[in-house]
Amino acid sequence: MIAILLAVVLLVVGGIHFYLWKRLVKDTTSARRARAVGSVAAVVLALVIPATLALSRALPHSQQALVAWPGYLWLALMFYLLVTLALLEIPRLAIRLWQRRRAVAAPVDPDSSEKPDFDPSRRLVLGRSLAATAGVLSASAVGIGVYQAMGAPNLKRVPIRLAKLPASMNGFRIAVVSDIHLGPLLGRAHTERIVRMINGVDADLVAIVGDLVDGSVAELGPAAEPLQDLRGKHGAFFVTGNHEYFSGFQEWVDEVNSLGVRVLRNERVDVLGLDLAGVNDLSGESIGDGPDFAKALDGRDANRPVVLLAHQPIQAHDAARHGVDLQLSGHTHGGQMVPFNLLVGLQQPIVAGLGTVDGTQVYVTRGAGFWGPPVRFGAPPDISIVELHGA
């Protein structure tokens, strides 16, 4: 299975780099030496991506960043080069058609062996112009994306109305953070900043809705330790995300609990007359640790409002069947790198913000970290302060 997956990755990556080579090397060079250098560079960069994916987890944690930074930055730049060059195929075609019309209308030189339409110098100018445009646009997107990804998350204030909310809870504030993604590129300083920002708003409750880590407790325990300083008047809570199941979920459940953040595992607690519930992530199903909505929600007083913590927005379909008033989720990163948001929307009912799924309100935070490339373009990170109000 691993061999098949590797073969698919190599085939896809190889195909993309062949296209990039054609547009950035073949179409922009005429000298053999320059084309040879560009060809070698294309092959090396194609090999960088599978090497990064393999080594970023195989190396000791202290060395992973040495591989992750250059490899993931190239992955992001490759993606935007592919997107921009693909979009530039439209003006490329238009210019070529315009040149062809001019060639047909122009008088033919009987001493010339080439048609003006196929003048190599014109092709070279066109190729270089479009390659330069793609390069500038892609590098700008990646540069802006790195700045946003490595900077402080935005604090978003989100008012939400719940019909059953007790009058005494009007204005109750939940600090929602997801997808912190501690790992090779995000460490203790990242956690400290998030804790400092959440504590600064003096929230009534803190909800961490999954994907805290990309690595083991042995590797990332010190990076997660500042979570013990989180302050919420009625506590801090956590539910597993899919990445916890790639990182030793039971160890992390124990570790997070030990830091004073209560892990809700298909269960609910009472908070001033509101039911706060949490379910495991869907990824746990393959190892018998999946979400159990009946266990978390059955038997409760239907007159009480219920807020559910569930990592993936798609879990709202099950939540709605159990009468959930509001689901708080993450997982999507808001797409992380536009136009990935369009692809995420094919799999998740809500990519970011507040929406409704089968009658249940769902709020999806973009998350405070990133996965893979240290780039967030068009989807800046956030910590959301959900403020509950009665209808």
Side-chain angles (χ1 to χ4, degrees):
M1 184 64 182
I2 295 177
I4 295 175
L5 180 61
L6 181 60
V8 171
V9 169
L10 289 173
L11 185 63
V12 172
V13 170
I16 292 173
H17 280 77
F18 176 77
Y19 173 71
L20 296 183
W21 170 83
K22 189 175 187 306
R23 291 297 182 229
L24 300 178
V25 178
K26 184 175 181 292
D27 290 355
T28 63
T29 59
S30 56
R32 289 185 178 180
R33 187 169 186 176
R35 185 168 294 184
V37 171
S39 300
V40 171
V43 172
V44 171
L45 289 171
L47 295 175
V48 161
I49 291 176
T52 299
L53 296 176
L55 294 175
S56 60
R57 294 302 293 267
L59 290 173
H61 179 69
S62 60
Q63 300 175 20
Q64 290 174 6
L66 299 175
V67 174
W69 266 110
Y72 282 128
L73 280 177
W74 169 243
L75 179 62
L77 186 57
M78 177 203 76
F79 170 71
Y80 279 115
L81 284 170
L82 175 65
V83 171
T84 52
L85 285 169
L87 292 174
L88 288 172
E89 293 294 343
I90 298 172
R92 181 191 300 275
L93 177 61
I95 292 170
R96 291 299 304 277
L97 290 174
W98 175 73
Q99 289 180 341
R100 192 178 295 274
R101 286 199 199 98
R102 286 193 63 192
V104 171
V108 179
D109 182 357
D111 297 325
S112 174
S113 60
E114 292 189 1
K115 297 179 182 179
D117 178 40
F118 293 98
D119 185 346
S121 64
R122 290 185 180 180
R123 285 190 173 186
L124 200 59
V125 170
L126 177 61
R128 288 175 176 174
S129 299
L130 295 179
T133 301
V136 170
L137 292 175
S138 300
S140 299
V142 171
I144 293 169
V146 171
Y147 176 79
Q148 290 189 330
M150 302 306 294
N154 296 328
L155 269 177
K156 294 183 63 177
R157 300 184 182 275
V158 185
I160 297 179
R161 294 192 175 277
L162 297 182
K164 301 175 187 176
L165 190 74
S168 60
M169 292 190 72
N170 194 59
F172 190 88
R173 295 182 304 153
I174 305 174
V176 183
V177 63
S178 181
D179 303 281
I180 295 172
H181 284 292
L182 299 175
L185 303 181
L186 294 172
R188 187 182 180 98
H190 179 55
T191 314
E192 290 174 340
R193 178 169 59 189
I194 289 169
V195 170
R196 186 166 58 250
M197 292 179 68
I198 290 176
N199 288 349
V201 301
D202 194 27
D204 295 294
L205 186 145
V206 179
I208 307 172
V209 284
D211 279 8
L212 171 64
V213 292
D214 285 305
S216 67
V217 171
E219 294 172 326
L220 298 172
E225 193 176 27
L227 292 178
Q228 65 187 352
D229 298 323
L230 270 176
R231 293 195 307 269
K233 295 174 185 176
H234 299 280
F237 299 86
F238 175 80
V239 290
T240 54
N242 54 307
H243 282 249
E244 272 69 60
Y245 291 97
F246 309 148
S247 305
F249 79 95
Q250 189 57 60
E251 280 190 334
W252 276 112
V253 166
D254 296 339
E255 181 71 9
V256 171
N257 273 321
S258 75
L259 296 173
V261 178
R262 178 169 176 180
V263 183
L264 294 177
R265 294 178 51 70
N266 298 324
E267 58 186 315
R268 69 178 182 271
V269 295
D270 169 63
V271 180
L272 301 178
L274 175 147
D275 286 330
L276 179 71
V279 291
N280 301 345
D281 185 65
L282 290 164
S283 297
E285 289 180 336
S286 61
I287 54 174
D289 196 62
D292 189 333
F293 288 84
K295 182 180 177 182
L297 297 167
D298 281 0
R300 66 181 190 84
D301 184 350
N303 293 315
R304 292 162 57 103
V306 57
V307 174
L308 175 71
L309 310 184
H311 180 60
Q312 299 193 40
I314 199 170
Q315 293 176 272
H317 294 294
D318 287 315
R321 285 191 284 270
H322 286 83
V324 168
D325 298 288
L326 171 64
Q327 176 175 308
L328 302 175
S329 297
H331 184 63
T332 66
H333 299 198
Q336 185 165 322
M337 294 164 54
V338 170
F340 264 124
N341 56 309
L342 302 178
L343 296 178
V344 174
L346 298 176
Q347 198 260 339
Q348 296 290 337
I350 299 172
V351 176
L354 182 63
T356 302
V357 177
D358 299 340
T360 288
Q361 292 189 91
V362 181
Y363 178 74
V364 182
T365 172
R366 289 190 177 96
F370 54 81
W371 182 80
V375 176
R376 297 197 62 144
F377 181 71
D382 70 59
I383 297 170
S384 299
I385 311 302
V386 171
E387 191 171 285
L388 303 181
H389 297 276

